[in-house]
Amino acid sequence: MSKLKNYSILIGGLLLMTTPVQATSSSDGLSPAETPPAAGQKPDATIPFSYQPYFGQSMEQPDHIKSLYPDPDVAFTTPGFAPDKENFTTTEEMMSFLHELDTESDRLQIENIGFSQENREIPLLIFTEDGGAIDETKNKPTVWLEAQVHGSEPGAGEAALVAAQKLALEEIGDELLANINVIIIPRVNPDGSHYFQFGSARGPWINRDHMKLDLPETKAMNKALQRFKPEVVLTSHEYGHRNWDAFKEFGNEGGGPYHDILLAKGYNLNVPEEIRQMADDLLIQNAFDQLEDAGYSTDTYVSFPEDYDPDTETITVSEGNGSPRFEKEIAALLPSFTFLLEGRGDRFGRESFARRVHSHYLTIESFLQTTAEHSDDISSMIHDAREQLVENGKTVDPSDTIIIRSEATELDRPLEILDIETGDVVEVPTTYLSATEALPTLERVRPRAYLLPPSHQHIADKLRIHGVEVKALNEPVELAVERYEVVEQTIGEQVQEGHITNHVETEIETATRIFPAGSLVFEMDQTAATVIALALEPESEDSYVTYNFIPVNQGDEIPVYRYMENDRLDASPISDETSTQPEEASPISLVVLIGSIGVALASITAFLFKRTRKRQQL
Ligand SMILES: [Zn+2]
């Protein structure tokens, strides 16, 4: 008996299968059941031992459930819908489709923004009215769409190709591009798409790498994001992983996810409230209305930190949070209108594929149309918010704070799910963690600048990818600054996205320090100011202290300083190529060196005696 059979499990009346249901073509010439795993890869968690390029299926929907989701009467001509197609669009098929569009259309330019870990191309499509560069004098908003961030979400990727085709060749493209520009990255994760897995080829998830920037895919994407600074950002996914498991104890045969499309906006509380409000009231509401009119079910996106409890008949669901590690939140800090788009379907192979792609595409079309119809309002609101951010950074005002941490508000709110036994839509009560109504739990006065020692070029390099202008002190200077001391730390129990996290609490006091020439200066009168603060304020969920790019222990002074005077420091911009290291050791360097040894010894002692633990936060 094949070892694979051991993984066939019955969950909630749904047969979860270990091998693809359809006979898919394997490039290795092996039948699916005999296909060994690909070295180092982790395909969809419920298909632990299969490797079918560009295909995976871990579940068949029972007929009475599948019949609730009929395919629309629409014929698609993107590569994934080719006659007799058994797997999903390969990267080679996608590239030749895109180059063909480029040849046929005078509204499109294609660029390669970088390569994946396995050296696959990551194309970026630029759509403008005349097919030229984006003309900033025209004041048109730019809408950014990225898809297949998780490789096992092919409906999201295919819908991006449908959108590209319509923008390039159809009448609607002409109409929309009169008022907006559009950028599309149809496949952020080409390696994961090849292996049909959630993560990148080395494992970590691309959607959670946006602050720490460990992965080439994330670096390429963020560099491009800064180049275009879009006013509206959509990140497109298919949901399913936890949604099927969370309700397995419900009813007689379990509960399943119901909605075709789930949407969420950027939640970070540093984004002006009027932007978050308009995201809900205008852009999301329009998409919901248009989808419901077309016969698709919709709701706000939630995830499931805990399973359904049959004793209390409740489940905890979460809207997520505003942490900048997520694509939707890092883009929100531009600031921009940002949205997460999640469609039903990441487990069941090609079942309901046309419906999934169609509902996804209609959502994208709605966001494009709403932006085009309100292009002046959207442009000016984002423009003003960016100018205000620069203005706020010019003076220190005790009433002007940055929100470093926040907490969701707990609400009672029912959630619609499918009773798998009957196929009925039922409402279950939930403990609903609302990010929309989150409240700040830690705020700090916006400094004039942050200062770091000259050694911290690796921090400068990361922040530059986020569009930050970095300066270096021209001369040594003695300054009164705010310094942090670590008073508490919680070290993660597991490797999380490649890191053991170090969550710290600090106390701040004013102190005088000598800053050598070449010390790094991050001034706050720039549009990337919020990213700077959330990277450098140690308690921030995704700070560079949290991820150990700035390693510290209890009792340490953190080598990040808050400069609270209004006078501009004597500093000059530096680029990647500019060396800021002093050529020879100066007396100041020696003092710093001796101090560092002392701090290191104190750190080791503190680490050995004061290690505390905390539940891993995802
Ligand atoms: Zn996803």
Side-chain angles (χ1 to χ4, degrees):
M1 183 181 171
S2 160
K3 193 178 177 190
L4 292 173
K5 292 265 163 37
N6 298 334
Y7 286 85
S8 290
I9 42 174
L10 201 69
I11 290 183
L14 294 173
L15 184 60
L16 302 189
M17 307 194 63
T18 58
T19 52
V21 178
Q22 299 166 33
T24 60
S25 52
S26 159
S27 63
D28 306 291
L30 298 168
S31 75
E34 291 167 333
T35 310
Q41 304 307 317
K42 229 191 261 181
D44 183 327
T46 54
I47 329 172
F49 289 106
S50 84
Y51 166 36
Q52 304 293 316
Y54 300 99
F55 188 79
Q57 178 166 6
S58 56
M59 160 187 277
E60 272 184 324
Q61 302 175 89
D63 285 342
H64 71 284
I65 298 290
K66 198 158 55 179
S67 65
L68 300 173
Y69 298 90
D71 276 339
D73 188 17
V74 182
F76 293 111
T77 55
T78 51
F81 292 96
D84 304 325
K85 184 81 173 141
E86 289 180 333
N87 64 352
F88 296 106
T89 303
T90 69
T91 293
E92 294 73 20
E93 288 164 349
M94 177 182 77
M95 291 312 300
S96 73
F97 169 78
L98 293 176
H99 287 304
E100 210 170 296
L101 278 191
D102 191 18
T103 311
E104 292 170 33
S105 171
D106 52 8
R107 304 171 198 148
L108 167 63
Q109 283 182 70
I110 302 182
E111 284 187 16
N112 172 28
I113 55 164
F115 292 92
S116 68
Q117 291 154 36
E118 293 197 349
N119 217 30
R120 293 186 176 88
E121 200 172 337
I122 305 173
L124 175 142
L125 321 177
I126 306 167
F127 294 91
T128 57
E129 195 172 15
D130 60 4
I134 290 178
D135 182 351
E136 286 172 19
T137 62
K138 285 195 177 163
N139 216 17
K140 283 184 188 176
T142 297
V143 183
W144 167 288
L145 167 67
E146 62 191 43
Q148 225 159 345
V149 177
H150 297 131
S152 52
E153 298 171 1
E158 201 70 20
L161 298 183
V162 171
Q165 188 182 43
K166 290 186 183 288
L167 285 168
L169 303 177
E170 294 184 16
E171 182 69 29
I172 190 171
D174 221 13
E175 289 162 19
L176 289 169
L177 296 172
N179 293 308
I180 58 173
N181 308 301
V182 181
I183 304 284
I184 300 181
I185 304 183
R187 185 165 287 180
V188 174
N189 184 3
D191 298 342
S193 304
H194 181 263
Y195 294 112
F196 207 77
Q197 67 182 10
F198 213 66
S200 65
R202 285 204 296 267
W205 293 4
I206 291 172
N207 72 320
R208 297 182 174 202
D209 188 47
H210 290 275
M211 261 319 241
K212 56 193 178 64
L213 296 171
D214 289 329
L215 308 175
E217 294 88 348
T218 337
K219 287 181 194 165
M221 234 188 74
N222 279 283
K223 282 179 188 167
L225 191 72
Q226 288 301 328
R227 226 178 95 203
F228 295 104
K229 291 195 187 327
E231 280 78 6
V232 178
V233 172
L234 308 176
T235 179
S236 177
H237 295 249
E238 289 194 286
Y239 74 82
H241 271 68
R242 286 278 294 139
N243 304 57
W244 288 97
D245 295 341
F247 293 98
K248 59 182 183 284
E249 302 296 333
F250 175 84
N252 292 324
E253 293 183 15
Y258 163 55
H259 302 95
D260 287 292
I261 294 288
L262 303 173
L263 295 173
K265 64 175 182 294
Y267 290 122
N268 193 286
L269 295 179
N270 292 295
V271 176
E273 196 178 351
E274 58 175 0
I275 294 178
R276 285 178 281 134
Q277 196 69 50
M278 188 162 149
D280 268 333
D281 296 350
L282 179 69
L283 289 122
I284 288 185
Q285 194 55 54
N286 277 2
F288 280 167
D289 290 347
Q290 285 164 23
L291 285 161
E292 297 277 346
D293 285 350
Y296 295 117
S297 49
T298 63
D299 203 352
T300 300
Y301 175 75
V302 289
S303 62
F304 301 91
E306 287 164 35
D307 285 351
Y308 177 76
D309 181 344
D311 294 332
T312 61
E313 297 190 334
T314 57
I315 184 167
T316 300
V317 304
S318 167
E319 281 184 351
N321 59 51
S323 301
R325 65 177 171 279
F326 297 111
E327 53 220 338
K328 157 166 81 70
E329 303 300 332
I330 197 78
L333 301 181
L334 281 167
S336 295
F337 290 92
T338 66
F339 303 92
L340 172 68
L341 194 177
E342 294 268 3
R344 180 181 180 276
D346 88 336
R347 277 192 174 184
F348 37 80
R350 290 187 61 95
E351 287 180 14
S352 311
F353 193 48
R355 182 183 180 97
R356 284 149 59 190
V357 172
H358 189 238
S359 54
H360 245 94
Y361 169 71
L362 285 187
T363 314
I364 295 162
E365 191 187 277
S366 169
F367 279 103
L368 296 179
Q369 249 158 7
T370 305
T371 308
E373 280 162 24
H374 299 266
S375 60
D376 288 346
D377 289 350
I378 285 173
S379 278
S380 64
M381 195 180 274
I382 294 299
H383 178 261
D384 292 352
R386 290 176 186 174
E387 280 206 332
Q388 187 61 50
L389 204 48
V390 174
E391 204 48 41
N392 290 349
K394 287 183 174 154
T395 47
V396 177
D397 171 357
S399 69
D400 175 25
T401 59
I402 297 173
I403 297 166
I404 311 298
R405 276 199 315 228
S406 60
E407 212 168 78
T409 298
E410 216 175 279
L411 307 173
D412 291 324
R413 189 180 289 182
L415 180 76
E416 290 174 315
I417 62 167
L418 279 179
D419 181 333
I420 290 169
E421 183 187 22
T422 62
D424 292 338
V425 181
V426 290
E427 282 195 346
V428 291
T430 72
T431 302
Y432 188 97
L433 302 178
S434 167
T436 302
E437 295 180 33
L439 296 170
T441 51
L442 177 63
E443 292 177 70
R444 289 216 169 106
V445 174
R446 184 187 306 273
R448 180 69 183 81
Y450 291 90
L451 282 148
L452 272 72
S455 53
H456 284 57
Q457 293 296 327
H458 62 304
I459 301 298
D461 290 344
K462 284 186 189 297
L463 286 175
R464 248 188 229 106
I465 293 174
H466 286 305
V468 171
E469 183 188 59
V470 185
K471 290 185 176 177
L473 288 181
N474 293 320
E475 302 288 341
V477 61
E478 187 179 304
L479 291 173
V481 289
E482 289 187 353
R483 48 87 80 169
Y484 307 91
E485 184 181 320
V486 180
V487 292
E488 216 183 299
Q489 81 183 123
T490 308
I491 295 169
E493 290 178 359
Q494 284 186 319
V495 175
Q496 186 182 326
E497 297 297 308
H499 295 259
I500 296 285
T501 54
N502 182 19
H503 289 275
V504 301
E505 303 289 336
T506 69
E507 268 173 23
I508 292 184
E509 62 176 25
T510 303
T512 304
R513 293 287 178 273
I514 289 170
F515 290 88
S519 290
L520 301 168
V521 181
F522 302 89
E523 290 173 334
M524 292 294 277
D525 55 344
Q526 51 181 316
T527 53
T530 317
V531 180
I532 297 172
L534 296 184
L536 298 180
E537 288 289 341
E539 288 92 341
S540 157
E541 173 89 25
D542 298 324
S543 78
Y544 290 157
V545 166
T546 302
Y547 288 114
N548 284 315
F549 296 119
I550 303 173
V552 291
N553 282 303
Q554 188 152 343
D556 287 357
E557 175 168 307
I558 298 176
V560 173
Y561 300 89
R562 290 161 53 85
Y563 174 65
M564 306 302 287
E565 305 296 324
N566 289 334
D567 300 337
R568 200 180 278 278
L569 292 160
D570 175 20
S572 304
I574 51 166
S575 64
D576 291 348
E577 294 77 31
T578 319
S579 169
T580 58
Q581 304 287 353
E583 303 230 328
E584 289 169 43
S586 65
I588 287 171
S589 307
L590 191 62
V591 170
V592 170
L593 178 67
I594 292 166
S596 306
I597 293 168
V599 169
L601 288 173
S603 306
I604 292 164
T605 313
F607 180 76
L608 291 175
F609 291 100
K610 296 291 290 180
R611 189 168 169 189
T612 57
R613 286 168 176 257
K614 191 182 170 190
R615 190 166 69 97
Q616 187 195 9
Q617 293 192 351
L618 287 177

